[in-house]
Amino acid sequence: MKVVFLLFDSLNRHALSCYGNKQHLTPNFDRLAERSVQFERHFVGSLPCMPARRDIQTGRLNFLHRGWGPLEPFDHSVADILRSAGVITHLITDHYHYFEDGGAGFHGRYSSWEFIRGQEKDKWQPQFLENEALYKNKYEKNQHDFSTDINSKLPYFINREYLEKNQQFPLAQCFDQGIDFLKKNGNKDQWLLHLELFDPHEPFFAPERFLKNYPEALSGKIFDWPSYGRTDISPSLLNKLRANYSALIDACDHYLGLFLDEMDQQNLWEDTWVILTTDHGLLLGEKEFLGKNRPPFYNEVAHIPLFIAPPNSFNCSPQKSKVLTQTIDIMPTILDIFKQNIPKQVTGYSLLPLMQKYSEKKSRYGCIFGQFGSAINFTDGRYSYFMYPLDPQVGDLYQYTLMPSHMRTFFEVADFKDAQIIKSLPFSQGFPVWRLPVNPDTKANMVKRYPLLDAKTVLFDLDEDPDQRKPLNDLDLEISIRKKIIRLMMENDAPEELFSLYGLELNKINVSST
């Protein structure tokens, strides 16, 4: 058996014509959709980037126990399970977060891997700031950030100069490497190709030939990287930002098409699965917000695309599926394809039975998703519910980890104040773990870095209000949903303190905060 797993970053569902976008055509995403089960109710699990990837690798939710961090020693990794079973697992990626402190442990689980350099803040080219005036003249003031801080945008400006000068675009290089893998190994068996693209994540840096249809992007100074938060930019800058994103979507579509051409040329559809999805979306002015992490997880962020194109030998015709799925289902689905046992710690479900029309298996009754320390969000496909802590500034919040790293740094000594060692968690396979209280005074924790906006517990009816503009006031429905959230939290081994933090009690529902 063979599997191609294509993972984009920040690929908005509503940007694709196969998901209903009539103004922006994406013919190659459509082309894959025509071969696929296109999932219409697919949602995120944990956010943002590396928490989502831990969900993908392990089939478990990250955000209830930990923020951004490495793969844990006790985690079941789909890449490692397959490699141990004799499947060749190859990772091609330009997603540089894998190679920072907070992304350790992921790429090493593969049989082999290829890393393409130069995206976003990848610490690639030496950061000598010799051309600050050039950068100030080239980029809009809104994204001027030339400090030497580890989180500054300076690496992007320097990397981009090098990439443009040498006509090396990471997106193109990744797909070139993927096509080369197919050319060399398409006729072999028992492999997983994980082809992962950082695009269309910000900065929205597309080769110039994809910008020709977007005059707003080409006029004036470059503005391709929004700050997360409220939309506090002019309409012209917002249009420029959206144009740059659209051009990058066109680039993603183009290179996907070249990859599909190679699939066609080798007739790999006979015995190869193709799975395509993303980690999350982002807001580009919708609901008057930009980005993710800080605003509520509206459907622009949480409702994401998923295509699974089975080989011709699998008893399944192309269709649009209404079953409710989420990110943690990817791992058990891939294991099921390779006929590997799914570890008992996995809380996701294989989607293979749901893809076959004769299956009587029912889909999940709901799913929870979110970001560590933010809302615990719920959807059943009909309703969406954002449930915030009773008081975000008060209450116990702990990280449970053996790998104490933030995104780009290790934990500080202050992070270990009042730390405890817990003998084991239900899913940690006997490993002890640190129980570390979140310290608001430490520099690198993302709870502090991304203060929440509009942190109000609200309920929406997606059928009647798909744009999520009109919160419902339905106490009985809210109580019913909160009971489902409790059940889902328990199924995912949520720490006891979270039930109190979010106003949930195991024996009764406290709705006074809502």
Side-chain angles (χ1 to χ4, degrees):
M1 192 56 64
K2 311 167 190 179
V3 174
V4 174
F5 177 46
L6 290 160
L7 181 63
F8 290 86
D9 195 307
S10 307
L11 177 65
N12 278 346
R13 178 183 186 276
H14 59 274
L16 306 180
S17 47
C18 49
Y19 277 105
N21 190 325
K22 303 303 182 186
Q23 283 73 46
H24 190 169
L25 298 181
T26 50
N28 291 302
F29 284 101
D30 293 1
R31 178 177 159 195
L32 179 61
E34 289 170 359
R35 286 186 170 272
S36 301
V37 175
Q38 177 178 316
F39 289 85
E40 299 290 293
R41 291 182 173 179
H42 185 62
F43 286 83
V44 297
S46 305
L47 288 90
C49 298
M50 293 318 295
R53 281 153 184 79
R54 188 176 178 220
D55 284 10
I56 289 168
Q57 283 291 328
T58 66
R60 291 188 57 88
L61 293 172
N62 173 95
F63 81 98
L64 296 172
H65 300 89
R66 198 190 69 180
W68 187 296
L71 206 63
E72 297 283 354
F74 50 79
D75 282 341
H76 290 289
S77 157
V78 63
D80 200 31
I81 292 172
L82 293 179
R83 182 182 65 172
S84 299
V87 177
I88 298 299
T89 56
H90 185 58
L91 171 68
I92 300 169
T93 186
D94 60 347
H95 200 285
Y96 73 100
H97 290 312
Y98 281 120
F99 303 91
E100 296 178 308
D101 293 331
F106 286 84
H107 71 278
R109 309 284 72 75
Y110 291 81
S111 308
S112 52
W113 50 272
E114 177 73 29
F115 177 34
I116 308 299
R117 303 298 303 271
Q119 286 282 20
E120 204 210 43
K121 298 178 183 178
D122 180 15
K123 308 302 190 289
W124 182 37
Q125 298 297 310
Q127 296 176 50
F128 294 104
L129 185 54
E130 300 173 339
N131 296 310
E132 183 171 349
L134 170 67
Y135 298 145
K136 285 183 175 179
N137 288 330
K138 186 172 182 178
Y139 295 91
E140 287 286 348
K141 185 176 181 180
N142 301 64
Q143 66 182 72
H144 286 184
D145 181 2
F146 310 118
S147 75
T148 57
D149 181 82
I150 196 170
N151 291 311
S152 85
K153 295 178 179 177
L154 179 60
Y156 167 56
F157 304 127
I158 294 174
N159 290 345
R160 178 166 175 160
E161 292 295 313
Y162 183 90
L163 293 169
E164 287 184 319
K165 179 180 178 181
N166 293 278
Q167 290 297 294
Q168 295 178 356
F169 297 96
L171 175 67
Q173 291 185 66
C174 282
F175 272 107
D176 284 346
Q177 291 282 345
I179 292 169
D180 185 62
F181 179 92
L182 294 184
K183 288 181 182 295
K184 292 177 178 177
N185 305 296
N187 62 345
K188 299 171 185 174
D189 197 16
Q190 291 295 95
W191 52 254
L192 166 71
L193 170 61
H194 178 172
L195 178 54
E196 180 167 342
L197 305 315
F198 189 75
D199 290 323
H201 190 289
E202 71 275 3
F204 309 135
F205 169 38
E208 188 167 340
R209 64 192 178 104
F210 296 104
L211 294 167
K212 63 183 180 181
N213 294 323
Y214 303 97
E216 306 97 321
L218 287 169
S219 63
K221 296 183 178 182
I222 296 170
F223 182 54
D224 59 6
W225 194 340
S227 297
Y228 293 173
R230 299 195 185 278
T231 307
D232 57 354
I233 57 177
S234 67
S236 62
L237 277 185
L238 181 59
N239 288 337
K240 182 189 289 284
L241 186 70
R242 288 173 168 173
N244 276 295
Y245 182 78
S246 294
L248 193 49
I249 290 289
D250 287 352
C252 292
D253 186 79
H254 169 77
Y255 290 111
L256 173 63
L258 298 181
F259 187 86
L260 297 181
D261 289 345
E262 185 64 30
M263 293 282 299
D264 291 344
Q265 186 170 336
Q266 295 193 41
N267 196 26
L268 289 174
W269 304 107
E270 288 298 318
D271 58 359
T272 306
W273 292 75
V274 177
I275 302 172
L276 186 151
T277 190
T278 189
D279 49 0
H280 51 69
L282 79 162
L283 292 151
L284 291 173
E286 301 91 348
K287 315 295 192 303
E288 293 72 54
F289 287 113
L290 293 170
K292 55 186 187 292
N293 298 350
R294 299 188 64 198
F297 289 158
Y298 291 109
N299 273 359
E300 287 84 357
V301 174
H303 193 189
I304 57 176
L306 172 64
F307 309 95
I308 301 182
N312 294 335
S313 58
F314 187 73
N315 185 17
C316 177
S317 58
Q319 60 191 275
K320 292 187 177 183
S321 174
K322 297 289 188 182
V323 299
L324 182 66
T325 62
Q326 68 175 144
T327 299
I328 56 174
D329 298 331
I330 300 297
M331 180 261 207
T333 299
I334 293 175
L335 289 181
D336 201 6
I337 289 172
F338 284 101
K339 301 188 184 308
Q340 297 298 307
N341 292 329
I342 298 171
K344 64 180 181 181
Q345 291 84 2
V346 171
T347 56
Y349 301 98
S350 170
L351 301 181
L352 300 195
L354 296 173
M355 292 172 62
Q356 295 178 309
K357 290 184 178 180
Y358 62 79
S359 173
E360 295 180 357
K361 183 171 180 178
K362 296 180 180 179
S363 61
R364 61 177 79 239
Y365 62 90
C367 61
I368 53 174
F369 56 90
Q371 175 180 294
F372 180 74
S374 181
I376 295 177
N377 308 278
F378 170 89
T379 190
D380 58 6
R382 167 71 187 273
Y383 298 102
S384 65
Y385 186 57
F386 307 155
M387 184 184 68
Y388 284 88
L390 295 180
D391 187 341
Q393 307 304 319
V394 180
D396 295 329
L397 184 63
Y398 297 87
Q399 298 216 54
Y400 295 81
T401 181
L402 270 175
M403 303 288 288
S405 296
H406 297 297
M407 180 191 288
R408 298 187 173 96
T409 65
F410 299 124
F411 275 34
E412 302 171 38
V413 172
D415 285 309
F416 283 85
K417 183 181 179 181
D418 299 323
Q420 296 176 293
I421 294 179
I422 306 297
K423 287 186 177 180
S424 185
L425 296 172
F427 53 87
S428 65
Q429 302 190 71
F431 280 82
V433 297
W434 283 104
R435 183 177 188 260
L436 301 166
V438 172
N439 187 330
D441 297 323
T442 55
K443 297 177 182 177
N445 80 70
M446 294 184 74
V447 177
K448 175 184 178 181
R449 185 175 171 192
Y450 293 113
L452 303 178
L453 297 170
D454 274 14
K456 301 173 184 176
T457 296
V458 289
L459 172 66
F460 296 101
D461 183 336
L462 298 177
D463 285 356
E464 299 297 325
D465 178 28
D467 200 37
Q468 296 171 293
R469 290 282 189 178
K470 303 171 184 176
L472 287 179
N473 183 14
D474 188 328
L475 187 59
D476 290 337
L477 178 57
E478 195 168 348
I479 291 173
S480 174
I481 288 174
R482 289 166 77 90
K483 288 179 178 177
K484 291 177 181 177
I485 291 174
I486 287 178
R487 180 179 165 190
L488 286 162
M489 288 173 67
M490 295 176 70
E491 290 174 2
N492 286 276
D493 305 303
E496 279 189 34
E497 66 270 9
L498 287 190
F499 294 93
S500 298
L501 188 64
Y502 288 86
L504 301 170
E505 298 180 26
L506 296 182
N507 296 319
K508 65 178 182 178
I509 307 297
N510 178 0
V511 296
S512 61
S513 63
T514 61

